[in-house]
Every structure is written in C-alpha cells, then in structure tokens.
Amino acid sequence: MKPDYKNWMPKGMVLSGFAATAVFLILFIVFGLTGIVSGTLKTVLFIVFLAGTIIGLCVSVWMILLYRAFSYNGKRQMSRKIIEGIAGYVKLPDDGKGLDVGCGSGALAIACAKRNPTAAFIGIDRWGKEYASFNKPLCESNAKAEGVSNVSFQRGDATHLDFPDESFDAVVSNYVYHNIPGDRQAYLLETLRVLKKGGMFAIHDIFSKAKYGDMQAFVKKLKDMGYADVRLIDTTDGTWITKWESVWMELAGSALLIGKK
C-alpha cells in the first residue's frame, strides 16, 4: 500500500480551466466567425470571446505546468522537496506536541511525525470543496501507508484555532495562509498564540506584499514583541524551488521561521 498525497493543483481545477476555455472557443466561433450576429455587436463579441479563449488557454497551460511540478511521482517532485525541507526544521522533545495548519492530504504532518517518533502530531484542515479530493480519511490512510501512528487529523479553522494558548512545541504550515482572504499577518499571530515558549513555528508560503503586506516590518514587529528568533528565508535557491520555477509559478518561495522565548 502506497500513500496518495494527491496534487496541490487538483485535477478538477485543471479540467475546469480547459472546460471554460472550450466554452469561450465555441462562443468565439459561433458569434465571432459566423453570420448569426453582425455589425458592432459581432465585433464586440469577436474581441471578448477571442480574449477569453486566449486567457483561458494560457491559464490552462499554467495549471498543467503546476500540476506536473507538484506531482509527488513526477520528475521534479517539488512537493516532496518542500515537505521534507520544512519537516527538517522540526525537532520535538519526547512527548512533545506538534500542529500542522492546513494539512491537506497529510503529507507535512506525517513527515514531521515520522521524524519525531516520540512526539505526537495533529493535522487540521477545513477540507473545502475546492480541494474535494483532500479529506480526513485520506490523511489517515496515508499515515497508515507510511507506518506512522503518532499523528491524528481533525477539522479546524486556521483563522480561529480551537486550542488553548501555548499548546504546541512546534507548528508548521505549507502554502495555506495565502489562500485565506483577510489579514494574513493576524492569522500568523493567531497561530503563534498556540505555540509554547521555547517552541518554533515554520511556515512556507507565498509571502508577496500583495498577500501579506510588509513582511520585513512584520519580522521587526515580532522581534520587538520578544520572539527569540525570526527569519524570513528565500527558498528559491534550488534546494526546494529554482528561480525559474518561482517566476513561472508566481511563487515568492519563502519560509518564515519563528522561535518563541
């Protein structure tokens, strides 16, 4: 039995992109190239549906490239490299507790639990409809396939974590917060709330200014609040993501490591 971690670019999204492109192409042919309509209206529809077809095709190709890059079984195995890279930072004490926020198919929580066999890890996720192939039974099945028993999974909300203050020795997350609308810096602070003193938070995400605001100012804010070690690390040095991959995937490719005094 092998684990099935799915793909961070769900196949349904790729198929939906091509379906939308096909609709625009059909509309372009029907209304832009035939004589069903004429005059100014035909010109407008020609431009609109042609633009929709071109944009849809570009987006579809981009999603295919992402799908191939994020495949656990493909040649690049970028997902595996990122997961192992984050998990490599996590070292829990005996009987320690760790949390993976937005666990998806369970890959990161399982990798961390495997590296820390004397500790316990919890993975939480809302498992929304846009990632319908990700769910709790899938996570549990993957843990079983990996022979990992010190990990569990439950439904949760990253914006309001259902745990008391200082519950975990380590918290991790990968490509989650940028998908949540709202104040993402506030979500990071909510996550830090459940981190024990002496613990560490390791997150890999798209830390662009458009999504997170000024992260350098946030790093300074955390240091001023007394956090022991705050590092924003560029992960596009070829270890996880190459510069070329970062450009075409529009990924900032950064990891934020925070140690709590």
Side-chain angles (χ1 to χ4, degrees):
M1 179 180 179
K2 293 184 178 180
D4 179 12
Y5 292 120
K6 302 298 182 183
N7 195 295
W8 298 345
M9 172 57 67
K11 188 178 293 185
M13 288 188 182
V14 179
L15 295 177
S16 295
F18 274 103
T21 302
V23 170
F24 272 108
L25 178 60
I26 292 171
L27 292 174
F28 168 70
I29 294 172
V30 172
F31 293 102
L33 299 181
T34 68
I36 293 178
V37 294
S38 59
T40 303
L41 179 58
K42 181 176 182 178
T43 302
V44 171
L45 294 178
F46 178 94
I47 295 172
V48 170
F49 292 137
L50 177 60
T53 301
I54 295 172
I55 293 172
L57 183 60
C58 291
V59 171
S60 297
V61 170
W62 175 71
M63 287 194 295
I64 286 178
L65 291 174
L66 284 178
Y67 186 84
R68 291 180 61 190
F70 286 143
S71 171
Y72 272 83
N73 301 315
K75 293 182 179 179
R76 292 194 180 97
Q77 294 197 349
M78 188 186 309
S79 298
R80 191 182 301 276
K81 291 178 182 177
I82 292 172
I83 291 297
E84 293 299 328
I86 301 170
Y89 286 109
V90 180
K91 294 177 176 60
L92 296 181
D94 291 346
D95 299 322
K97 292 177 63 178
L99 174 69
D100 177 14
V101 180
C103 62
S105 60
L108 180 55
I110 292 169
C112 291
K114 184 183 292 187
R115 287 172 176 265
N116 297 271
T118 62
F121 236 86
I122 298 175
I124 67 166
D125 204 302
R126 71 182 185 88
W127 294 300
K129 62 181 180 179
E130 65 273 31
Y131 287 90
S133 61
F134 292 179
N135 50 61
K136 181 179 177 181
L138 174 65
C139 293
E140 294 172 339
S141 175
N142 285 336
K144 184 177 180 180
E146 294 278 16
V148 176
S149 59
N150 58 323
V151 62
S152 60
F153 302 94
Q154 63 189 57
R155 189 172 294 276
D157 182 353
T159 66
H160 297 91
L161 296 173
D162 190 23
F163 301 103
D165 295 356
E166 299 186 17
S167 296
F168 298 96
D169 298 282
V171 181
V172 295
S173 184
N174 178 54
Y175 286 152
V176 173
Y177 295 78
H178 76 273
N179 287 316
I180 308 173
D183 187 344
R184 295 178 178 95
Q185 291 187 14
Y187 302 154
L188 293 180
L189 292 174
E190 165 64 6
T191 305
L192 289 170
R193 177 185 65 78
V194 303
L195 185 65
K196 291 180 181 179
K197 288 181 173 62
M200 185 193 70
F201 176 34
I203 171 177
H204 187 256
D205 206 358
I206 305 173
F207 288 115
S208 65
K209 191 167 186 178
K211 296 181 181 297
Y212 272 91
D214 189 341
M215 283 302 293
Q216 293 299 335
F218 184 67
V219 167
K220 183 179 183 303
K221 175 181 177 179
L222 291 178
K223 290 180 178 179
D224 291 342
M225 290 171 65
Y227 284 89
D229 183 22
V230 185
R231 286 178 284 161
L232 189 62
I233 302 171
D234 181 9
T235 59
T236 61
D237 60 357
T239 303
W240 298 1
I241 302 172
T242 66
K243 290 290 185 183
W244 179 81
E245 288 167 337
S246 181
V247 170
W248 67 258
M249 288 193 303
E250 298 181 346
L251 300 179
S254 296
L256 179 64
L257 304 179
I258 304 172
K260 190 172 185 179
K261 283 184 179 179

